[in-house]
Amino acid sequence: MKYIVISTLLISLVACAPSSSQDKPNNHTLAEKPQNFNDYWYAGEAEITSYKLEQARYGKIHSGEAVMIFVTEPFSKSKQVKLDDWRDESADNVSVMKLNMTKKFLTGIYPYSMMMSTFTPISYDQYPDPFKVTTSSQEWCGHTWMQLNLQEKDFRLRGFSYFESEGDVEVAVPNVMLEDELWTRIRFNPENLPTGKIKVLPSTFYLRLRHQEAKPKVAEITKLPVHESEFSTEDHVIYKIEYNDRTLTIYYEPEFPFTILGWEETYLSGFGNPEILTTKAKRINSIKSAYWGKNSNKDREIRKELGLGVE
């Protein structure tokens, strides 16, 4: 029994740990990555960026917080989960960049807590599609869950919800560009970002909040350098994804590590008589941290550095 306990403890200790310099993918190339990519992303730390959030919901704008956590880690291609043994040298071990993106905001008396995770292979010349996306939402009415898994020809979508019309579903979704993967594509090398008219599966956050089916839509995607905006007084880039009913604009720095400065998302919000509103997120701060080891009460001080509330 004690061996089982010890094994469980070891797994829990490394559960959030990222790839280290010893875990760089040696059997998969890192095509078209900046020269300092490995030094930054395989240093045994995650990058945590906090944002001041203004979220459109129920026809109103609600204040809150958003956080993006980017980290590389070893991933099982066959099981589509993080490998317990990060030393696995088999072909099943593929290095991915994981993004955990969270949103927390209040709507009147009750809170929303949302999280989206993407798992995108670092070597996108060999693995051009994300392996997996998961999204959950919790609020006082109930909670929902959506998961996309890459298959040979398409994505397998499973969805669970307390809404009758969105109940337990399992369908195939065409293998198109996922809006949720564009965040990590920016961090790889934005020179490779797609532009033009492209079929895209909209954000899983958006699909959940607007109660829409997971169906690809045609989007016009543009990229434009700017000298100044409300998101930065320094040179940066605007990356815009325009659908016929929604626009997402991402602002990011043009130099490595291509920090995401914020975003705007405009669409109809509310029921009955919806209004066109814009969700907005502005960067507060970014840090590199092995946060999975920062779990004592004294470590709450780090949240102040990020400008986040102490809960």
Side-chain angles (χ1 to χ4, degrees):
M1 175 62 73
K2 67 179 180 180
Y3 299 110
I4 296 175
V5 173
I6 291 171
S7 297
T8 303
L9 285 172
L10 286 173
I11 290 172
S12 66
L13 285 171
V14 302
C16 287
S19 301
S20 68
S21 58
Q22 287 76 37
D23 301 323
K24 295 174 188 176
N26 50 23
N27 57 334
H28 310 301
T29 60
L30 297 175
E32 301 181 62
K33 301 296 190 301
Q35 188 173 2
N36 46 353
F37 185 92
N38 286 359
D39 294 337
Y40 188 84
W41 289 113
Y42 289 90
E45 295 178 314
E47 182 200 81
I48 307 169
T49 303
S50 53
Y51 300 86
K52 179 182 178 182
L53 177 67
E54 298 174 4
Q55 177 68 48
R57 186 67 175 145
Y58 303 123
K60 304 291 181 182
I61 297 294
H62 307 276
S63 61
E65 300 171 341
V67 178
M68 282 187 165
I69 303 166
F70 289 95
V71 65
T72 56
E73 62 184 26
F75 196 77
S76 168
K77 181 174 61 174
S78 61
K79 297 178 181 178
Q80 297 195 359
V81 292
K82 180 178 178 178
L83 284 168
D84 289 337
D85 184 359
W86 65 95
R87 297 159 298 186
D88 187 336
E89 296 182 357
S90 71
D92 189 51
N93 182 356
V94 177
S95 183
V96 301
M97 181 176 287
K98 177 177 70 176
L99 163 61
N100 284 336
M101 182 177 183
T102 66
K103 289 184 175 185
K104 290 190 175 183
F105 55 95
L106 288 172
T107 55
I109 190 175
Y110 64 98
Y112 268 76
S113 179
M114 307 182 75
M115 181 170 180
M116 180 268 290
S117 299
T118 62
F119 302 83
T120 307
I122 299 293
S123 300
Y124 53 84
D125 56 333
Q126 290 186 264
Y127 304 103
D129 303 304
F131 285 134
K132 184 177 180 179
V133 176
T134 64
T135 297
S136 61
S137 176
Q138 302 83 39
E139 35 93 4
W140 283 5
C141 292
H143 58 140
T144 65
W145 173 269
M146 180 186 297
Q147 179 164 310
L148 286 159
N149 288 91
L150 181 64
Q151 301 184 127
E152 288 187 11
K153 297 181 180 179
D154 52 27
F155 287 96
R156 175 196 184 196
L157 168 67
R158 284 174 289 173
F160 304 91
S161 172
Y162 60 89
F163 289 103
E164 178 184 3
S165 59
E166 301 173 3
D168 296 2
V169 296
E170 183 170 346
V171 295
V173 176
N175 187 348
V176 298
M177 176 70 68
L178 306 183
E179 184 182 309
D180 289 339
E181 73 180 276
L182 293 174
W183 306 99
T184 45
R185 298 295 186 201
I186 290 172
R187 307 310 307 276
F188 287 167
N189 189 344
E191 290 298 317
N192 298 321
L193 287 170
T195 57
K197 283 193 174 181
I198 301 171
K199 278 192 174 182
V200 181
L201 183 70
S203 155
T204 48
F205 277 160
Y206 172 75
L207 295 176
R208 163 66 192 98
L209 290 174
R210 292 299 297 162
H211 303 281
Q212 292 196 1
E213 288 186 63
K215 291 184 177 180
K217 296 182 178 181
V218 175
E220 181 75 36
I221 304 181
T222 55
K223 184 167 54 173
L224 178 70
V226 295
H227 297 298
E228 185 176 347
S229 75
E230 64 177 294
F231 291 86
S232 177
T233 57
E234 305 292 333
D235 288 353
H236 57 286
V237 181
I238 293 174
Y239 190 60
K240 183 178 291 187
I241 303 99
E242 296 181 272
Y243 305 89
N244 62 1
D245 58 354
R246 172 173 163 266
T247 299
L248 172 67
T249 307
I250 303 172
Y251 300 79
Y252 66 88
E253 293 181 341
E255 303 296 330
F256 185 84
F258 313 117
T259 301
I260 293 171
L261 300 168
W263 63 91
E264 294 178 304
E265 184 182 8
T266 301
Y267 58 85
L268 281 171
S269 176
F271 302 98
N273 295 304
E275 296 185 36
I276 296 177
L277 296 176
T278 298
T279 291
K280 187 178 296 185
K282 288 185 180 180
R283 178 179 174 271
I284 301 172
N285 197 11
S286 299
I287 65 172
K288 292 288 290 299
S289 173
Y291 69 87
W292 44 91
K294 312 288 187 183
N295 45 34
S296 68
N297 287 332
K298 66 179 181 180
D299 293 321
R300 293 191 180 194
E301 292 296 314
I302 301 172
R303 293 184 62 85
K304 293 182 180 179
E305 184 179 353
L306 288 165
L308 298 174
V310 179
E311 300 175 349

